[in-house]
Amino acid sequence: MAKEIQNPNQQQTLEKKADKNQENNSNLNVWTIISLVEFVLILFLLFRLFKRKEKPTSSNKAFSRDEIVNEKIDYENILKSSFQARDLYDKLKKKCHPDRFPTDLELNKIADELFQEIQKNKTNLKRLEELKNEAILKLKISF
Amino acid sequence: MLANAWNKIKDWFRDRNDRNETVRDWNNSAKDAFIAGIVPAFLKSRITKGNSKYKHKFSHTFNTGFRVEVLAGRPLTRDDLIFLGDVILGDTSLVRKLVVLGFDTLEVHGENDSYGLQWQLITYLELGS
């Protein structure tokens, strides 16, 4: 009698377990599909990344790339030039204009060369300061 | 093919590292210059999305913009931004480095992304120099 009473409960628990397993399996299947889709997506993106043909060869690229990337950049000059180069350039272009030396041909020539250099380096404070010193020496002017 | 793929993965991570290092070096120099009173504003740099129309051979897939934000405490004029861009583009070593590292757009912005300008880096690259 005891056995008969237990059986229905056991059967119920077994049925419940079977349902749960089925549910788990269906969940697993969904996650498996999602992970497969992600894997395919990653492969596709990697394929696109490696597909580019026009990039230079790795050995040539490494040689020139490292040289360029490791080159020392004068950030301080760039930062100072952003705020100070304009004023210095304005002063230099007035003081070193060749028209200020109409009579002396030699000074006129020097002023012309300096003026061209000043025009080329109008955003480079370091170079402008060097040109300023050169102008003081060669053109005998004061600032 | 596997070795090639592995090298490309290594290159990709190396590029990312170099790009972040460039931004870090710029920001450290800008911070030091601002604190020392050498410059009146803090020029903060960061990597941005960039402009897709400015792409070139070495452009990265994502985030190809190099932005410099001028934290001056006052709004900047268009001329100020243009001059700042000219100063940065005038340094050929920096432009070359930015192009090689996959950047294609230089951006200069005022504070709070209020107003900014963009330049295509490859047009300022002196080839063969």
Side-chain angles (χ1 to χ4, degrees):
Chain A
M1 278 298 280
K3 257 191 186 174
E4 279 178 12
I5 290 165
Q6 272 176 13
N7 270 341
N9 287 337
Q10 236 180 10
Q11 200 173 3
Q12 271 180 9
T13 50
L14 278 172
E15 278 173 7
K16 276 183 189 171
K17 272 186 187 171
D19 285 340
K20 208 175 179 182
N21 277 339
Q22 209 172 19
E23 203 184 303
N24 282 343
N25 281 342
S26 64
N27 282 346
L28 274 172
N29 284 337
V30 167
W31 288 114
T32 311
I33 291 166
I34 289 170
S35 62
L36 275 171
V37 165
E38 281 180 355
F39 181 66
V40 167
L41 190 65
I42 288 168
L43 280 178
F44 173 70
L45 287 172
L46 281 172
F47 177 71
R48 271 203 70 177
L49 187 66
F50 301 145
K51 200 184 171 187
R52 288 185 187 172
K53 291 173 190 172
E54 296 118 75
K55 277 191 177 175
T57 59
S58 58
S59 59
N60 287 345
K61 188 183 173 187
F63 178 73
S64 59
R65 183 199 179 278
D66 284 345
E67 228 180 47
I68 292 167
V69 168
N70 293 331
E71 198 178 343
K72 205 170 181 310
I73 308 288
D74 193 352
Y75 292 111
E76 197 179 323
N77 184 39
I78 296 172
L79 294 163
K80 278 161 75 171
S81 300
S82 307
F83 299 98
Q84 298 169 19
R86 202 164 12 189
D87 289 340
L88 184 55
Y89 168 72
D90 286 341
K91 272 186 205 168
L92 281 172
K93 77 177 181 191
K94 282 178 197 164
K95 293 268 185 176
C96 302
H97 199 282
D99 291 349
R100 286 173 62 96
F101 310 92
T103 52
D104 193 328
L105 287 174
E106 199 181 327
L107 281 181
N108 189 286
K109 191 182 171 190
I110 295 167
D112 190 44
E113 284 168 9
L114 273 173
F115 190 74
Q116 282 177 27
E117 273 296 304
I118 289 164
Q119 293 284 77
K120 277 184 205 166
N121 293 288
K122 61 166 110 174
T123 56
N124 186 344
L125 182 71
K126 206 172 190 175
R127 186 70 185 118
L128 285 175
E129 281 172 351
E130 285 169 10
L131 291 168
K132 178 185 169 184
N133 292 332
E134 222 176 293
I136 291 169
L137 271 171
K138 292 182 181 173
L139 296 176
K140 315 256 187 292
I141 52 176
S142 59
F143 284 86
Chain B
M1 186 196 157
L2 275 174
N4 195 30
W6 179 244
N7 283 334
K8 289 198 191 248
I9 291 169
K10 278 199 304 185
D11 283 350
W12 189 82
F13 279 104
R14 188 183 55 170
D15 275 350
R16 271 181 66 96
N17 184 46
D18 289 338
R19 282 151 66 93
N20 291 336
E21 204 177 303
T22 303
V23 169
R24 209 168 33 242
D25 289 344
W26 174 288
N27 286 337
N28 285 339
S29 299
K31 192 173 66 176
D32 292 341
F34 182 60
I35 289 170
I38 297 170
V39 294
F42 179 39
L43 302 182
K44 186 181 168 193
S45 71
R46 62 184 175 100
I47 299 171
T48 58
K49 198 178 160 191
N51 190 333
S52 54
K53 292 177 190 169
Y54 293 166
K55 280 205 180 301
H56 56 75
K57 208 185 281 191
F58 298 109
S59 284
H60 250 238
T61 317
F62 314 107
N63 299 335
T64 57
F66 183 81
R67 179 179 288 192
V68 175
E69 287 173 357
V70 185
L71 308 176
R74 58 171 179 87
L76 294 172
T77 62
R78 192 166 185 271
D79 286 342
D80 290 337
L81 296 177
I82 288 173
F83 185 75
L84 192 52
D86 285 343
V87 168
I88 296 169
L89 294 166
D91 191 316
T92 50
S93 312
L94 180 60
V95 172
R96 222 176 2 245
K97 187 172 181 176
L98 291 175
V99 167
V100 164
L101 288 175
F103 292 105
D104 53 38
T105 312
L106 171 68
E107 299 173 3
V108 178
H109 271 248
E111 217 163 329
N112 301 325
D113 293 336
S114 49
Y115 176 72
L117 298 170
Q118 286 183 338
W119 289 265
Q120 185 179 15
L121 280 170
I122 197 79
T123 55
Y124 293 89
L125 186 66
E126 287 176 8
L127 297 168
S129 62

